Amino acid sequence: MLSDALKKTIRTTHTSIAESLDGYRPRKSQNYLVAEIAKVLAGEYHRSQKICVIEAGTGTGKSLAYCLGALPLALAKKKKLVISTATVALQEQLIEKELPFFKEHSGLDFKFDLVKGRHRYICVHKLNSALDEDMMQMSLVPTLNSPLSEQEKNCLVALQNAYQNKQWQGDRDSWADTIPERVWNLIACDKHACQRQMKSHHLCPFHLARQKMAQMDVLVINHALLLADLELGGGKILPEPDETFYVIDEAHHLPHITRDFSSAAATIKGTLDWIEKLLKFSQKMANAIVSQKAIGQNFKLNDAANDAAKDLRSVRDLLDQADFNYNDDDTYRFEHGIVPEQLTIKAKDISDATLDALRALNRMHDALTLDVSDGDVTAFLADPLLAESGQYINRLEQLQKLWFSYASKGDSIPHARWIKRLEYKNHHDHLLCDCPIEVGYYLKDKLWRECAGAVLCSATLSALGTFDHFAKESGLKGEEGVQFIKANSPFDYPKQATLHIPTTDKEPTDKAFSDFLADALPKYLDRTKGNLVLFASYWQMEHVAKKMRLKNWQILVQGEFSRDALLKKHKSRIDSGHGSILFGTQSLSEGLDLPGAYLENLVITKIPFAVPTSPIEEAQAEFVTSKGGNPFLSITVPDAAKKLVQSCGRLLRKETDQGKITLLDRRLVSKRYGKAMLDTLPPFKRQIDY
């Protein structure tokens, strides 16, 4: 329960923050959120499952609300507060603006930091080794196909000098210039080669950052790092889940990122090639290990790797002879995720052999690490071997994950499984892929039932008026104690914006719709203002831009410049008193902040329906149909409704903003699902032509 002392702390903190904010006005919806978050995390709704799902409209001030509602409670109960986001932009906003302000003015004493994945940091030992000629020769095998260019070597020297002179802390994001991918892969920290128990790695930036993390009260991370920790069992990278309150901002991304994390893929010929290299490498590694046990593990590794290779060759022959009906994208999807019996049998053998190889290599890796710690083998000799074995361990883990899934028959979790045929100049290959269709069970088992509490928030979590779609995707459907909360935006939508649906000559499904857009769009644009036009496809956007430019329209088109450069050009035109027209696709409908004069006229060309062309989307639709459902109404329409809300959300960013939205898709008024979508949009003043 929420004690009187905690209630007082929250009220006092809220007052201190309010007094420090310029032009602060009390917002009923924000006050409501603060109270609900605190009550949920204090266990007032459920003693053990302390979770709330919040849809907070633009301008609600949700980041301030979850800091006010969650942080005093976390400090009082000695829990860590982990804030996870989907975008770098929000992380930067929290670290550079929101949390420093909150700390300065809240009266609360807390420490916070940004936590990044291991691969964002250099390994100092690797950096120094990369510039050592002898060491470089040893390191070339696992990481580079050809020697570094002069420019790449110069980059390495600059990085080393900056780090040694304490002008750089050793993380990729704080380096002002671009670090080439080949250079970074050579020096990046990795879990197998860069281990804290080894003296040569004690001062690596990653390990220093992790030591610092233990002293923090608030940690800002991204969803990928959260899932990486969950995959390791929780509490391996981040604090233990049962000692943590999680705030998952931009939570609408979580199910899709979880799905990507749970997928696996591997080629046949490509795998055979690296297994052959692994067999040669394992002998080199065994020779370096002092312990006699390495000999036995090397034999086991060789036997298992040879067994896996033999079965993979059988699969290669099987796929070459199979009469699969590949589509235009050279992809064949197994219906309902069911693979042929012959392939299932081989998959079981490959999965078992890969697991045996993985265990043997892990033992050899641990033995060499121990030898270095004991001083029996020098780090100079061991580090390149540990780096290379780490790469093989990662590959074996991915391979085992794929083939274990292909060997699983009749599992209760539906999977999409498919093969992509790869054609090269002198040979061909097959890429086998696997991805679970539903990941709610994973989040339920690994996170919701383990954590001390969780707040999930976003501007778009409901679809067509309910949270059902998101609750099912995220594993929260039917869970006891979960609170679903809607906090309305403080915007006066009818006064601030008009939503216009004009009559159109062509339906979006008509082949001539793109040409219609090129002719009709000029009517809905204002050359003197900030305009944004959102398209459903790159092809359509470029087609319309090309035709309009022939009529002397000045247009900034997504893809012709980087996102940052595009927005700078757009803002520069507005700042200099001219209008600007920005063309973009769905990716610009989220996370784009163009307040005030930067955007006063928004045109959405059509409802952003996703076309189910990927094997995962096809498998999802197939699964829903097999259960007697309608995939269009249960997946496609809710997803499109959320995207449409996001698109419309670009117009009003502040309570002083004004503008107009034009929707050129008549299905919003002619179709039953369209009317349901229209009702989920904010209550703009409506102008519907007939």
Side-chain angles (χ1 to χ4, degrees):
M1 297 292 285
L2 204 56
S3 67
D4 288 339
L6 263 174
K7 287 178 185 175
K8 186 180 178 184
T9 300
I10 292 169
R11 279 197 296 269
T12 305
T13 304
H14 201 163
T15 303
S16 300
I17 291 290
E19 288 172 352
S20 307
L21 279 168
D22 290 336
Y24 176 82
R25 290 190 328 185
R27 295 172 180 171
K28 280 169 68 174
S29 54
Q30 190 180 58
N31 296 341
Y32 170 59
L33 284 184
V34 173
E36 287 300 298
I37 290 168
K39 279 157 55 174
V40 165
L41 296 180
E44 292 200 6
Y45 291 109
H46 197 277
R47 285 185 66 184
S48 57
Q49 191 134 273
K50 303 167 185 176
I51 299 172
C52 60
V53 177
I54 297 169
E55 182 173 87
T58 309
T60 315
K62 61 179 166 45
S63 55
L64 181 58
Y66 58 63
C67 285
L68 282 164
L71 187 51
L73 213 68
L75 294 171
K77 294 185 179 291
K78 294 184 167 50
K79 305 288 185 193
K80 298 283 189 183
L81 180 62
V82 170
I83 304 173
S84 182
T85 79
T87 61
V88 173
L90 183 52
Q91 282 187 332
E92 288 174 349
Q93 184 180 320
L94 284 162
I95 287 292
E96 295 168 13
K97 185 179 171 187
E98 310 270 1
L99 288 170
F101 180 86
F102 196 82
K103 181 171 182 174
E104 185 181 350
H105 300 289
S106 66
L108 297 174
D109 183 24
F110 67 93
K111 295 177 181 175
F112 64 90
D113 201 6
L114 176 66
V115 182
K116 290 179 278 198
R118 187 188 290 264
H119 201 68
R120 303 306 294 176
Y121 297 91
I122 58 158
C123 168
V124 180
H125 190 78
K126 281 188 184 181
L127 176 60
N128 294 336
S129 300
L131 286 162
D132 182 297
E133 285 299 320
D134 295 334
M135 194 68 172
M136 191 63 191
Q137 291 307 310
M138 296 175 71
S139 307
L140 273 174
V141 182
T143 47
L144 295 173
N145 296 321
S146 59
L148 292 176
S149 67
E150 281 305 309
Q151 185 183 359
E152 289 168 330
K153 285 180 184 174
N154 290 339
C155 178
L156 274 175
V157 171
L159 292 169
Q160 187 189 49
N161 289 339
Y163 184 76
Q164 288 178 343
N165 295 326
K166 294 187 165 55
Q167 294 166 335
W168 177 51
Q169 292 182 317
D171 64 299
R172 189 172 191 175
D173 305 296
S174 66
W175 186 254
D177 204 355
T178 303
I179 302 174
E181 204 63 30
R182 274 169 31 108
V183 171
W184 187 256
N185 288 337
L186 195 63
I187 62 174
C189 178
D190 76 84
K191 66 179 178 181
H192 298 292
C194 188
Q195 298 183 22
R196 206 175 98 198
Q197 64 264 40
M198 294 165 65
K199 288 177 186 173
S200 57
H201 296 276
H202 279 187
L203 297 177
C204 271
F206 168 76
H207 296 305
L208 293 174
R210 286 295 181 266
Q211 287 170 13
K212 189 178 163 191
M213 188 177 89
Q215 302 154 22
M216 297 298 128
D217 303 295
V218 181
L219 302 171
V220 178
I221 64 169
N222 62 23
H223 295 346
L225 189 61
L226 171 63
L227 288 161
D229 186 53
L230 296 181
E231 194 167 278
L232 293 171
K236 302 295 185 289
I237 304 171
L238 302 169
E240 292 288 344
D242 61 356
E243 293 298 319
T244 304
F245 285 148
Y246 295 90
V247 170
I248 298 171
D249 206 336
E250 302 176 313
H252 59 284
H253 287 289
L254 189 63
H256 293 286
I257 294 174
T258 306
R259 197 174 67 186
D260 291 343
F261 238 81
S262 305
S263 61
T267 57
I268 303 295
K269 187 182 182 305
T271 300
L272 285 167
D273 287 347
W274 68 252
I275 285 178
E276 195 177 316
K277 290 175 184 172
L278 169 61
L279 290 167
K280 293 174 184 174
F281 165 76
S282 67
Q283 186 59 54
K284 190 166 63 171
M285 191 171 187
N287 292 340
I289 299 169
V290 172
S291 168
Q292 288 299 305
K293 290 179 183 176
I295 299 168
Q297 293 304 328
N298 189 32
F299 282 138
K300 285 181 183 177
L301 174 58
N302 276 264
D303 287 346
N306 279 315
D307 287 346
K310 185 182 79 174
D311 288 319
L312 280 165
R313 282 190 281 271
S314 297
V315 170
R316 178 193 62 195
D317 297 341
L318 186 73
L319 296 181
D320 281 342
Q321 292 159 20
D323 189 24
F324 292 144
N325 187 19
Y326 289 91
N327 65 15
D328 293 342
D329 195 34
D330 278 331
T331 300
Y332 174 78
R333 184 178 61 81
F334 296 106
E335 281 191 23
H336 305 289
I338 300 168
V339 300
E341 185 73 19
Q342 280 178 290
L343 192 53
T344 305
I345 294 166
K346 287 295 173 191
K348 175 77 170 66
D349 293 339
I350 296 169
S351 173
D352 291 345
T354 308
L355 186 58
D356 289 342
L358 183 59
R359 284 172 176 157
L361 185 56
N362 266 316
R363 286 178 186 135
M364 290 173 71
H365 188 97
D366 292 344
L368 185 56
T369 303
L370 190 63
D371 285 345
V372 176
S373 297
D374 292 344
D376 295 330
V377 178
T378 65
F380 177 84
L381 289 170
D383 275 356
L385 295 170
L386 289 170
E388 192 167 356
S389 69
Q391 291 189 347
Y392 286 124
I393 287 169
N394 286 334
R395 285 173 170 177
L396 285 167
E397 285 172 347
Q398 182 80 347
L399 194 64
Q400 204 275 328
K401 187 177 178 182
L402 173 81
W403 289 105
F404 179 79
S405 176
Y406 266 63
S408 304
K409 292 177 68 177
D411 53 22
S412 57
I413 302 148
H415 279 244
R417 297 187 178 102
W418 68 97
I419 297 175
K420 187 171 175 66
R421 195 166 48 189
L422 306 171
E423 295 291 343
Y424 299 101
K425 192 174 181 181
N426 298 316
H427 71 279
H428 68 277
D429 203 347
H430 294 91
L431 175 70
L432 278 73
C433 306
D434 175 272
C435 179
I437 294 169
E438 297 187 340
V439 292
Y441 71 94
Y442 182 90
L443 291 168
K444 185 186 295 187
D445 292 345
K446 301 268 189 181
L447 186 55
W448 312 137
R449 292 189 175 170
E450 298 295 327
C451 68
V455 177
L456 293 83
C457 55
S458 168
T460 48
L461 288 179
S462 68
L464 305 178
T466 77
F467 285 98
D468 292 351
H469 185 59
F470 178 76
K472 187 173 187 302
E473 278 191 317
S474 58
L476 291 170
K477 190 173 183 180
E479 286 294 289
E480 284 185 32
V482 179
Q483 301 300 300
F484 293 92
I485 300 162
K486 273 194 179 187
N488 295 325
S489 169
F491 294 169
D492 189 343
Y493 284 106
K495 283 188 177 177
Q496 288 181 250
T498 300
L499 175 67
H500 180 208
I501 303 178
T503 55
T504 57
D505 295 338
K506 296 283 183 269
E507 287 281 314
T509 50
D510 194 314
K511 286 182 179 178
F513 186 68
S514 298
D515 288 333
F516 158 75
L517 284 177
D519 293 333
L521 259 180
K523 282 189 283 187
Y524 307 110
L525 297 175
D526 188 333
R527 291 181 193 260
T528 65
K529 292 182 176 177
N531 300 262
L532 171 64
V533 185
L534 292 172
F535 292 85
S537 75
Y538 264 102
W539 178 88
Q540 196 166 70
M541 174 181 72
E542 287 166 354
H543 177 83
V544 173
K546 188 177 179 181
K547 292 197 80 170
M548 286 182 62
R549 279 169 169 168
L550 291 174
K551 296 176 184 176
N552 296 320
W553 281 85
Q554 298 263 313
I555 303 166
L556 292 168
V557 180
Q558 183 184 358
E560 293 183 353
F561 305 96
S562 70
R563 184 179 169 121
D564 283 349
L566 194 73
L567 297 181
K568 277 180 184 171
K569 285 177 182 289
H570 175 76
K571 289 177 178 179
S572 174
R573 287 183 182 182
I574 302 296
D575 291 340
S576 62
H578 300 96
S580 178
I581 299 165
L582 190 57
F583 275 18
T585 59
Q586 193 58 40
S587 60
L588 279 193
S589 71
E590 186 179 354
L592 182 67
D593 198 23
L594 293 172
Y598 293 132
L599 180 55
E600 294 179 287
N601 189 40
L602 172 64
V603 181
I604 300 168
T605 56
K606 61 195 284 192
I607 297 170
F609 285 123
V611 182
T613 51
S614 81
I616 298 170
E617 290 164 333
E618 288 174 355
Q620 269 186 312
E622 182 181 69
F623 178 68
V624 170
T625 303
S626 73
K627 298 292 182 185
N630 182 324
F632 179 72
L633 293 178
S634 62
I635 300 173
T636 310
V637 170
D639 276 343
K642 284 198 287 188
K643 287 174 184 171
L644 189 60
V645 172
Q646 286 167 356
S647 297
C648 290
R650 294 315 96 211
L651 183 69
L652 303 180
R653 308 305 297 167
K654 295 179 179 176
E655 290 175 65
T656 52
D657 287 355
Q658 301 268 333
K660 183 177 184 178
I661 301 171
T662 304
L663 275 162
L664 297 175
D665 193 331
R666 293 293 293 183
R667 289 176 294 182
L668 282 161
V669 289
S670 64
K671 303 287 185 186
R672 186 178 293 178
Y673 66 77
K675 290 174 182 174
M677 283 182 173
L678 202 51
D679 290 340
T680 65
L681 296 178
F684 305 111
K685 179 184 175 183
R686 290 187 184 177
Q687 179 189 338
I688 301 175
D689 299 344
Y690 291 98

